[in-house]
Amino acid sequence: MTTASALQTSAAPGAAARTSGVRLTTRRRTVLLTVLCFAVCLALGVQQWTSLQLGGFDLGIFDQGVRGYAHFGLPVSTLKSVHHEFPPGFSLLGDHFSPVLALLAPLYWVWDDPRMLLVGQAALFAAGVPLVRRIASRAFADAGPRARTRVRDVAALVYGLGWPLLISSRGGFHEVGFAVPLFLLLFERAGARRWVGAAVAALLLCATKEDLGLAVGAFGAVLLWRERGRADRWAKVLGWALLVGGPLSSAVEIGYLIPAMGGVPGYYWNYGQLGADGGEALRHVAGDPWLLVQSAFSSPLKPILLTWLVVTTAALPLRSATSFVALPLLAERIFSDNPNHWSIARHYDAFLWPILVTAAIEALGVLWASGRHRQVRRLGATAAVLSLAASAGLGLYHLALPYEWQPKPSTAALARAAKLIPDGASVEADNQIAPRLTNRTEVMLADGTPRGQEYVILRYENRAFPFQRDPEQAEYRALLLAHGYQELFDQDGVTLLRRTGTEPVPGTHLPGPGSTPYQEVIPPDVGHNFFLG
């Protein structure tokens, strides 16, 4: 007789009262763990904001875009479009197809400030906690109340304090804020056999980023595999719909919708080792599959990334078919030529986190159902310790360091100089100060190309994004001072210039209708550190 059946046979009024108390305790634990996830993620984001570590790329870009939605317009960003030479009228939907970001517009009706995106992302991450607890409860349906409670609590804690969420929170805001809870909603609704809810989650995922349709299609394949031999017709209908519709949505978004919004086909094609475009890559790989191996090992960081993901989860996700959903997202990074994709320093691992957590819970649940309780305790404890240890080293400890809440002298000087810029002015801004100006000025990125704006604020002693060499900012400052700009502020390597002359600065340029967008040139010292990028 199982523990659950024994409890049922001994049910009595006193037992019912205790069960009611357990339910109340469960709700309280859900609330506490949800609040903990929200508080930690928000604290990390606010810490980066107060220390001026969040830049125009990408917080300022998303801020301008969501503000466009809040004013019932398109998500236009001058930080993105001017720097990358997109023509006038370019919408961020032509960069990444993420119309789901419009759901954040009401936050700006409450407070028109970039920090609302940090609040929104922390809330979205925290929204995954109740979903993880439901997934865990369903996976351990055969366990006793005490064991099930422990599993729910540990799973929610590991998810909510997961190192990918903490790193992503330290990086500002990205569309991954929506992807995380939507993946969990997809898995939870499918596990509950609520196919309409699963379909809605899949549709929203396809509206979160153009490549997520591939992951949706992968889950369709997983669903069909799990439903083989069963008679649930709607489960199979949904499985086929996701398998076909997910990749189709990605193809339509990349091939038609993004170009319709001013984007360029193939703009984010980062697979030159395989071919110049998708068709050529398929032909090359079909003729020489070894190209995939060469690409996957073109940098030592790529196998290190895979090893890290396996080790910090104790390899548990590999025991569940759900891990197959992560395959398209991992392949995008492993075969990429872009060094930014190879480390854990950015937000990309947060896309994988709900998949890995769900797969690990499912794997443990299967082992428990087969009677291997001791193995479940050992593997579960190992995975939890490894994951939380990584979280402590990569995110949590930053909150305890007072100096990490303070800006460096040069960035503090940027903040002082920015206060001298009047509202409504047009500004070329250093990347680190741009988010402080987006809600009150017309701001674009200071990148070394004169834009003819009223004010220019930048650091000039040490290299800052997007400049490639240390002397470039100083050279740009000298050029502006020699052609009609007056210096209003010069402290700690920061300058604020105001245009007083009428003569054009040599090389002044703003993108026009015939402009050709370009991708960022990545400096050669980027992409060599697994933890820092």
Side-chain angles (χ1 to χ4, degrees):
M1 180 180 294
T2 64
T3 305
S5 60
L7 287 173
Q8 290 171 358
T9 56
S10 62
R18 288 193 297 273
T19 302
S20 177
V22 169
R23 283 201 297 268
L24 181 60
T25 302
T26 297
R27 288 195 293 270
R28 288 176 176 172
R29 290 182 177 186
T30 299
V31 170
L32 288 174
L33 288 165
T34 301
V35 170
L36 175 64
C37 175
F38 173 78
V40 170
C41 290
L42 180 59
L44 287 168
V46 170
Q47 183 186 59
Q48 292 296 90
W49 172 271
T50 59
S51 60
L52 278 83
Q53 294 300 306
L54 300 179
F57 278 62
D58 292 323
L59 180 61
I61 292 174
F62 283 109
D63 172 66
Q64 289 181 325
V66 175
R67 183 172 292 106
Y69 283 129
H71 290 93
F72 304 100
L74 287 173
V76 176
S77 171
T78 51
L79 283 166
K80 172 69 180 181
S81 61
V82 174
H83 173 57
H84 282 152
E85 294 289 326
F86 283 95
F90 166 78
S91 161
L92 288 181
L93 292 171
D95 183 44
H96 290 301
F97 192 74
S98 305
V100 73
L101 296 179
L103 296 176
L104 293 173
L107 295 179
Y108 278 62
W109 303 338
V110 176
W111 186 29
D112 185 4
D113 190 277
R115 282 167 284 187
M116 289 305 285
L117 294 181
L118 306 180
V119 174
Q121 180 170 268
L124 287 166
F125 286 161
V129 170
L131 296 170
V132 167
R133 289 174 64 81
R134 288 184 197 172
I135 292 169
S137 185
R138 193 170 292 119
F140 283 78
D142 293 335
R146 180 176 296 181
R148 197 159 56 245
T149 296
R150 289 176 179 174
V151 169
R152 283 196 299 255
D153 291 347
V154 173
L157 185 67
V158 169
Y159 159 78
L161 298 183
W163 59 268
L165 302 190
L166 305 189
I167 290 175
S168 186
S169 298
R170 282 175 54 81
F173 176 86
H174 295 88
E175 59 277 290
V176 71
F178 280 97
V180 169
L182 286 175
F183 269 124
L184 290 170
L185 182 62
L186 174 63
F187 301 147
E188 191 278 329
R189 289 291 81 190
R193 308 189 74 78
R194 297 293 188 264
W195 307 124
V196 173
V200 170
L203 284 172
L204 289 173
L205 276 170
C206 292
T208 298
K209 197 164 177 278
E210 64 276 3
D211 58 343
L212 294 184
L214 302 176
V216 168
F219 183 68
V222 171
L223 186 58
L224 289 172
W225 170 261
R226 287 174 171 167
E227 291 298 318
R228 68 192 188 282
R230 292 185 179 180
D232 192 334
R233 180 167 62 93
W234 289 111
K236 294 178 181 179
V237 168
L238 179 62
W240 280 109
L242 299 185
L243 179 61
V244 176
L248 182 61
S249 73
S250 290
V252 170
E253 290 168 8
I254 293 171
Y256 297 97
L257 297 181
I258 286 178
M261 291 294 172
V264 178
Y267 182 74
Y268 283 111
W269 180 258
N270 294 308
Y271 309 95
Q273 294 184 46
L274 303 179
D277 54 39
E280 185 176 285
L282 287 174
R283 292 193 297 271
H284 288 173
V285 171
D288 183 11
W290 186 251
L291 283 174
L292 291 176
V293 178
Q294 291 177 326
S295 179
F297 288 89
S298 61
S299 166
L301 294 191
K302 295 181 178 183
I304 291 175
L305 171 62
L306 294 177
T307 303
W308 173 267
L309 293 173
V310 170
V311 169
T312 54
T313 57
L316 282 173
L318 298 179
R319 297 169 177 256
S320 170
T322 297
S323 62
F324 183 70
V325 180
L327 192 59
L329 305 179
L330 270 175
E332 281 186 282
R333 297 172 64 188
I334 295 301
F335 298 132
S336 173
D337 302 331
N338 188 338
N340 289 313
H341 295 159
W342 308 336
S343 74
I344 61 170
R346 293 169 178 83
H347 63 283
Y348 302 112
D349 293 295
F351 286 101
L352 303 173
W353 191 235
I355 305 170
L356 299 178
V357 169
T358 300
I361 293 171
E362 291 172 346
L364 291 172
V366 170
L367 290 174
W368 184 275
S370 66
R372 288 179 277 184
H373 298 176
R374 182 174 297 178
Q375 185 180 9
V376 169
R377 294 188 182 95
R378 177 172 53 82
L379 288 175
T382 300
V385 168
L386 289 172
S387 177
L388 292 174
S391 299
L394 296 173
L396 294 174
Y397 92 97
H398 291 283
L399 296 175
L401 302 177
Y403 69 85
E404 294 233 13
W405 292 84
Q406 302 296 325
K408 297 177 181 178
S410 62
T411 48
L414 280 172
R416 295 195 301 272
K419 293 178 180 179
L420 303 177
I421 301 174
D423 293 352
S426 61
V427 188
E428 293 177 50
D430 183 288
N431 181 58
Q432 295 308 112
I433 199 61
R436 305 292 182 111
L437 297 167
T438 49
N439 65 346
R440 66 181 188 88
T441 69
E442 180 184 340
V443 61
M444 54 192 66
L445 189 68
D447 58 7
T449 299
R451 307 295 184 181
Q453 304 304 294
E454 297 175 72
Y455 291 86
V456 178
I457 178 173
L458 77 158
R459 291 168 288 179
Y460 62 86
E461 290 186 345
N462 297 306
R463 189 186 74 190
F465 176 84
F467 294 90
Q468 299 288 313
R469 300 179 296 107
D470 284 346
E472 286 184 1
Q473 290 120 293
E475 294 168 359
Y476 186 45
R477 171 178 175 248
L479 173 68
L480 297 177
L481 286 173
H483 294 88
Y485 279 83
Q486 176 186 6
E487 191 162 61
L488 303 180
F489 182 97
D490 181 14
Q491 294 179 16
D492 295 316
V494 171
T495 184
L496 173 64
L497 308 176
R498 183 179 65 187
R499 187 175 185 181
T500 56
T502 57
E503 64 173 305
V505 180
T508 297
H509 170 75
L510 286 171
S515 297
T516 301
Y518 74 95
Q519 255 203 325
E520 203 70 53
V521 177
I522 300 174
D525 58 343
V526 172
H528 300 287
N529 189 306
F530 181 68
F531 295 103
L532 301 178

